[in-house]
Amino acid sequence: MSLLTAALLIVGGAFAASGPDDNGTPISMPAGAAAVETTAHPPYAVGVRHFEFARGKERPLPTTVWYPVRGSSRQNRGRTLLDASPLPGEFPLLLWSHGFYSNPQMQEGMTKFLAESGYVVAAPAYPFTKKDGPRFDKTDVPNQASDASFVISKMLDASNPLSASIDENRLGAVGHSGGGTTTDWLFTGRRDPRLKVGVIFAGRPTTAYKGTPVPLLFIHGDKDPVVAYSQGRESYGKDPWPKAFLTIEGGEHGAGTNDPERGHVQAMATLLDFLDWALNDDDAARLRLVNDATLTGYTRFESSGIYPSATNSTSATTTTTATPTPAQSKVLDLAGSTG
């Protein structure tokens, strides 16, 4: 198995929303990248627990949580360990929001990948947009943001067996599609002031951003047939805070997430860089963003308020082969854990 193929297997099957790259074009690593560096730790082994939360009788919120445990994911061949004891220490908490007609289990590739990277990931199944729910209601998305805040509170409650593993000062939210829009609400009309970062995959705009500025990352395919690329651009344009936008050129609705999708490796490296910078005070990750995110003909990266020397930052590359950057190396290392 090639390194590239291994990297693309990280979140294999995480989403079922887009086709493979067109014309069999190889999906390459960013060019102009730095030399490989050893990651700080191997991919963590991952535990999983299920909680039956509910925000009232009408809003059951069964929640699956992935978290780091002792050992490495490679040793476990990527298998999750049910109800395993958490690794000692405090980790950042990410609230993951699924898209329409989906559920946390369908997106386990992504959530497990984040847990292997050192994050506790809590993913509720929303009552009126999940797969096989009693009824579907796309207008319920703002209420999902309130659900998300409720789940965060339940995770931080001292009675939760995982609460001691969570650093309450390092909280973030990530979501795709309807879950991306849910995530956007958490920084607008249903603002949760505890959140320190947000990542929105293929989400729609909501209302005005408010509260203390926090960095937001937007990732969107410019050929998305479900949520128009222009809607992601609208959200980015309205965001007055430090922000970044990763465009997957030719990417559809699962851009940056599906294993055969173009731009996947760049999206995962950018995601880790952004989270590590915002939640772990890793300034080296911030400085890696441009190179990790950019591959001519595949991805474009821009930012505002992240680099003090310029209002906007873009990067261009001229070739399609390169030595992986540190973040790319981390992606590849995690990919190897799938066996």
Side-chain angles (χ1 to χ4, degrees), residues 44 67-71 85-91 165:
Y44 292 111
Y67 54 94
V69 301
R70 291 187 184 278
S85 297
L87 188 69
E90 292 185 336
F91 298 89
S165 299

Side-chain angles (χ1 to χ4, degrees), residues 83-131:
D83 296 332
S85 297
L87 188 69
E90 292 185 336
F91 298 89
L93 172 68
L94 299 175
L95 190 290
W96 173 266
S97 292
H98 66 75
F100 290 171
Y101 301 106
S102 187
N103 59 45
Q105 285 66 42
M106 292 172 66
Q107 300 177 341
E108 184 175 25
M110 176 70 83
T111 54
K112 187 165 72 70
F113 166 71
L114 291 168
E116 288 179 333
S117 303
Y119 293 88
V120 176
V121 185
Y126 296 117
F128 301 116
T129 63
K130 66 183 179 182
K131 178 178 170 55

Side-chain angles (χ1 to χ4, degrees), residues 226-238:
V226 179
V227 178
Y229 176 68
S230 61
Q231 293 186 293
R233 297 298 305 177
E234 181 181 345
S235 295
Y236 180 75
K238 290 180 176 178

Side-chain angles (χ1 to χ4, degrees), residues 145-162:
S146 297
D147 292 338
S149 291
F150 174 81
V151 169
I152 291 172
S153 296
K154 296 295 286 185
M155 291 301 301
L156 297 177
D157 189 281
S159 64
N160 189 299
L162 296 178

Side-chain angles (χ1 to χ4, degrees), residues 68-85:
V69 301
R70 291 187 184 278
S72 76
S73 187
R74 281 181 172 171
Q75 291 172 343
N76 294 333
R77 297 185 177 274
R79 293 188 294 268
T80 56
L81 305 174
L82 183 64
D83 296 332
S85 297

Side-chain angles (χ1 to χ4, degrees), residues 187-249:
F187 299 94
T188 61
R190 302 293 175 94
R191 177 63 193 269
D192 190 324
R194 299 170 296 182
L195 295 171
K196 300 298 192 294
V197 65
V199 181
I200 298 165
F201 284 87
R204 292 180 170 87
T206 55
T207 60
Y209 295 97
K210 62 182 182 180
T212 303
V214 298
L216 298 181
L217 170 64
F218 301 82
I219 300 176
H220 214 125
D222 63 7
K223 301 300 182 184
D224 190 335
V226 179
V227 178
Y229 176 68
S230 61
Q231 293 186 293
R233 297 298 305 177
E234 181 181 345
S235 295
Y236 180 75
K238 290 180 176 178
D239 178 7
W241 304 332
K243 59 187 177 181
F245 198 106
L246 180 68
T247 297
I248 313 294
E249 298 181 8

